[in-house]
């Protein structure tokens, strides 16, 4: 029963939110009594499913002084994250999008950015070569909140954090962060779950060079995630440093993460770290660091529509590159949205070049119920299924030391558990370097 319950929430989360008899020795009774576990499981997951947890609702719990202090700290953290907005937009997916003045965003709480002079535009864009792949006639991605309004110029759209978002993570320290490095291709073995949370990948990569940017068009689907503390994502990583605690990483793509967002929608996301996910960095705008300038893209918001089996295909086009003059790392979404940048000051190794780029999918496998997860990667189908069935990355490229976008290059692939999630790479004039990837997870050959 302990393993089953752990698949849904952490012990710390149970202790924070528990509303049962104070005299109950909860962990011991949970192991001994399925009834006690089931009661608290129902209570907490009803809380998870609620659309809102107001301050009044939180105060209604029968809490000890210690738990009240925890809840007060949650609200204090919410006041830090949710900056004053000049306008708020309610999205049909339950999100509230706050329009926050650019200079008031959380980024400038970073001690290295308090006197930062905002760079309004990059001094140089990557130069497209004659052999660049064609864009193709693919449908552009929108975000659900666009149906209900727009943020005015001079502001940025920020997804408002709610109390239950932090509660699902189990603590303030865990919220908005991940703690697993990307795969190191030259030393990969089948990953064993760490505390029940093993990460598995299917990626393409380039290394042993200096890279000043990367691009990809990433097919967007809505993969099924078996239990709430697992996720499925598709992204690119720009990496510098070693895999010994000092890794710098800039990441962008889409993900389905019920624990982080409270639903199963595919969402645009970013991530950064300077110490291999130990104490720096975060998802999206959930800590100080990334400086957003665009008033149309909400990082962390739902993407819509998404691709369908043998139907219309949608992808997001992501370009990240280092401004040769300032050293800031810029992000562009599609051809029209210059989203913002990661300032050079927040990095150590990425003050120079990246030494590896990875593109591909990642899932968390907690081995729920003692077997491999059925959480899907990509579309949930294997690469051999091809277009409109398997998920893809296309138009892969990297930026070299001359600020040239290179689209013809040799690359390698890696799938840690190919019977669960696989990858197949190819090249064409229309798509350039591309690959299909993904899989269903648990199946007769993956267990």
């Amino acid at each position: 029963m302990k393993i089953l319950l752990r698949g849904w929430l952490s012990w710390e989360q149970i202790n924070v939110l528990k509303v049962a008899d104070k005299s109950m020795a909860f962990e011991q009774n949970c192991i001994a009594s399925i009834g006690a576990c089931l009661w608290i499981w129902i209570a907490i997951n009803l809380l998870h499913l609620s659309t809102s947890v107001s301050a009044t609702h939180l105060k209604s719990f029968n809490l000890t002084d210690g738990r009240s202090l925890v809840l007060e700290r949650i609200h204090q953290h919410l006041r830090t994250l949710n900056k004053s907005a000049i306008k708020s937009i309610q999205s049909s997916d339950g999100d509230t999008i706050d329009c926050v003045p650019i200079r008031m965003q959380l980024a400038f709480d970073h001690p290295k950015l308090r006197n930062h002079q905002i760079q309004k535009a990059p001094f140089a864009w990557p130069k497209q070569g004659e052999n660049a792949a064609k864009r193709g006639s693919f449908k552009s991605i929108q975000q659900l909140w666009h149906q209900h309004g727009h943020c005015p110029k001079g502001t940025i759209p920020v997804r408002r954090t709610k109390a239950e978002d932090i509660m699902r993570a189990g603590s303030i320290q865990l919220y908005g962060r991940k703690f697993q490095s990307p795969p190191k291709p030259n030393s990969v073995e089948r990953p064993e779950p760490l505390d029940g949370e093993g990460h598995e990948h299917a990626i393409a990569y380039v290394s042993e060079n200096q890279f000043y940017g990367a691009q990809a068009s990433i097919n967007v689907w809505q993969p099924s995630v078996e239990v709430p503390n697992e996720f499925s994502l598709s992204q690119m990583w720009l990496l510098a440093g070693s895999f010994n605690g000092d890794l710098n990483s800039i990441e962008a793509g889409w993900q389905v993460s019920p624990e982080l967002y409270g639903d199963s929608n595919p969402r645009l996301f970013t991530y950064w770290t300077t110490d291999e996910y130990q104490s720096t960095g975060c998802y999206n705008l959930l800590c100080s660091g990334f400086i957003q300038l665009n008033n149309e893209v909400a990082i962390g918001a739902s993407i819509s529509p998404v691709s369908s089996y043998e139907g219309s295909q949608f992808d997001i086009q992501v370009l990240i590159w280092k401004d040769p003059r300032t050293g800031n790392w810029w992000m562009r979404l599609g051809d029209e949205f210059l989203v913002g940048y990661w300032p050079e000051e927040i990095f150590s190794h990425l003050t120079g070049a990246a030494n590896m780029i990875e593109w591909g999918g990642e899932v968390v496998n907690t081995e729920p119920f003692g077997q491999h997860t059925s959480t899907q990667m990509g579309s949930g189908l294997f690469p051999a299924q091809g277009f409109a069935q398997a998920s893809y990355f296309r138009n892969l490229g990297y930026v070299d030391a001359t600020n040239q976008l290179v689209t013809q290059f040799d690359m390698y692939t890696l799938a840690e558990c190919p019977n669960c999630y696989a990858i197949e790479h190819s090249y064409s004039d229309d798509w350039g370097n591309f690959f299909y990837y993904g899989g269903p997870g648990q199946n007769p050959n993956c267990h």
Side-chain angles (χ1 to χ4, degrees):
M1 183 63 190
K2 184 175 181 179
I3 294 173
L4 175 61
L5 188 61
R6 181 61 186 89
W8 285 89
L9 67 165
S10 69
W11 289 108
E12 182 179 3
Q13 192 170 2
I14 293 168
N15 291 329
V16 169
L17 300 180
K18 182 178 61 179
V19 294
D21 185 346
K22 298 176 189 176
S23 65
M24 182 174 69
F26 182 72
E27 184 168 340
Q28 287 76 13
N29 284 344
C30 185
I31 296 171
S33 169
I34 291 178
C37 270
L38 183 61
W39 187 92
I40 197 70
W41 180 88
I42 293 171
I44 294 171
N45 281 279
L46 284 174
L47 177 61
H48 283 183
L49 293 173
S50 65
T51 58
S52 174
V53 178
S54 65
T56 302
H57 189 180
L58 287 170
K59 290 177 181 176
S60 70
F61 285 111
N62 179 21
L63 301 168
T64 65
D65 291 341
R67 297 189 189 100
S68 296
L69 179 60
V70 170
L71 293 171
E72 173 54 34
R73 288 175 177 169
I74 288 174
H75 282 290
Q76 183 178 356
H77 193 55
L78 290 174
R79 290 190 288 271
T80 298
L81 293 179
N82 297 325
K83 300 297 186 181
S84 297
I86 66 171
K87 177 182 178 181
S88 295
I89 300 166
Q90 189 65 45
S91 177
S92 57
D93 60 1
D95 283 355
T96 300
I97 304 298
D98 291 324
C99 303
V100 177
I102 290 175
R103 190 69 218 189
M104 291 180 62
Q105 66 184 284
L106 183 61
F108 299 109
D109 288 1
H110 195 291
K112 294 183 178 180
L113 300 178
R114 285 172 184 161
N115 298 314
H116 179 83
Q117 184 175 354
I118 296 175
Q119 184 182 354
K120 296 182 178 179
F123 284 99
W125 296 71
K127 294 171 284 188
Q128 298 275 351
E130 293 181 0
N131 294 321
K134 301 175 184 177
R135 288 284 188 187
S137 56
F138 287 78
K139 299 180 183 294
S140 61
I141 289 290
Q142 300 294 320
Q143 293 187 299
L144 280 177
W145 69 276
H146 289 160
Q147 301 172 11
H148 307 277
H150 295 275
C151 285
K153 290 184 178 180
T155 70
I156 63 168
V158 180
R159 180 182 183 269
R160 184 185 299 175
T161 299
K162 295 176 285 190
E164 63 262 34
D165 294 332
I166 298 174
M167 290 175 174
R168 284 191 304 272
S171 74
I172 292 171
Q173 292 73 25
L174 295 175
Y175 177 60
R177 301 187 57 216
K178 60 180 179 178
F179 298 89
Q180 180 77 17
S181 301
K184 186 178 181 182
N186 61 359
S187 60
V188 169
E189 298 177 356
R190 188 190 187 283
E192 295 296 330
L194 178 63
D195 294 329
E197 294 188 4
H199 290 235
E200 299 178 12
H201 306 81
I203 64 165
Y205 67 95
V206 290
S207 61
E208 299 181 356
N209 203 338
Q210 291 189 322
F211 307 103
Y212 293 85
Q215 78 165 14
S217 296
I218 310 173
N219 196 200
V220 181
W221 292 78
Q222 189 173 14
S224 171
V225 175
E226 182 172 2
V227 292
N229 62 331
E230 296 182 340
F231 65 64
S232 179
L233 60 77
S234 298
Q235 68 167 87
M236 61 184 188
W237 295 257
L238 291 91
L239 306 171
S242 69
F243 285 79
N244 295 313
D246 66 341
L247 186 72
N248 286 205
S249 181
I250 291 174
E251 307 170 24
W254 62 264
Q255 66 180 160
V256 173
S257 178
E259 183 175 272
L260 183 58
Y261 303 107
D263 61 28
S264 297
N265 295 336
R267 292 171 176 268
L268 175 70
F269 84 94
T270 61
Y271 202 96
W272 68 273
T273 181
T274 64
D275 61 357
E276 202 166 342
Y277 310 96
Q278 296 179 78
S279 62
T280 63
C282 61
Y283 281 112
N284 308 332
L285 304 181
L286 297 178
C287 66
S288 53
F290 183 81
I291 296 175
Q292 183 163 338
L293 302 177
N294 186 274
N295 67 321
E296 297 185 68
V297 175
I299 302 173
S302 298
I303 297 171
S304 179
V306 298
S307 302
S308 60
Y309 180 80
E310 294 189 343
S312 297
Q313 300 300 296
F314 298 86
D315 56 33
I316 54 172
Q317 301 160 6
V318 181
L319 171 65
I320 297 172
W321 81 100
K322 187 180 181 69
D323 189 317
R325 185 180 299 186
T326 65
N328 298 329
W329 290 87
W330 283 85
M331 175 179 168
R332 186 182 74 184
L333 186 66
D335 291 326
E336 63 270 42
F337 300 127
L338 188 64
V339 182
Y341 61 91
W342 291 269
E344 183 185 47
E345 299 99 295
I346 66 175
F347 294 108
S348 53
H349 296 294
L350 280 173
T351 55
N355 54 31
M356 180 179 291
I357 300 171
E358 297 177 356
W359 301 267
E362 176 183 357
V363 300
V364 172
N365 171 27
T366 64
E367 293 190 347
F369 315 109
Q371 62 184 4
H372 193 285
T373 183
S374 61
T375 289
Q376 299 171 337
M377 179 187 292
S379 69
L381 297 176
F382 284 113
Q385 299 296 112
F387 184 71
Q389 296 186 28
S391 188
Y392 62 79
F393 278 61
R394 63 186 181 94
N395 292 335
L396 303 184
Y398 69 82
V399 180
D400 67 14
T402 68
N403 204 35
Q404 181 77 34
L405 182 62
V406 179
T407 57
Q408 291 184 329
F409 55 92
D410 293 329
M411 60 190 306
Y412 304 92
T413 60
L414 166 71
E416 294 153 325
C417 305
N419 290 332
C420 309
Y421 313 105
I423 182 169
E424 294 181 5
H425 164 247
S426 190
Y427 183 89
S428 74
D429 291 339
D430 287 340
W431 280 20
N433 269 304
F434 72 93
F435 59 83
Y436 289 103
Y437 72 104
Q442 201 279 326
N443 68 77
N445 296 314
C446 169
H447 45 78

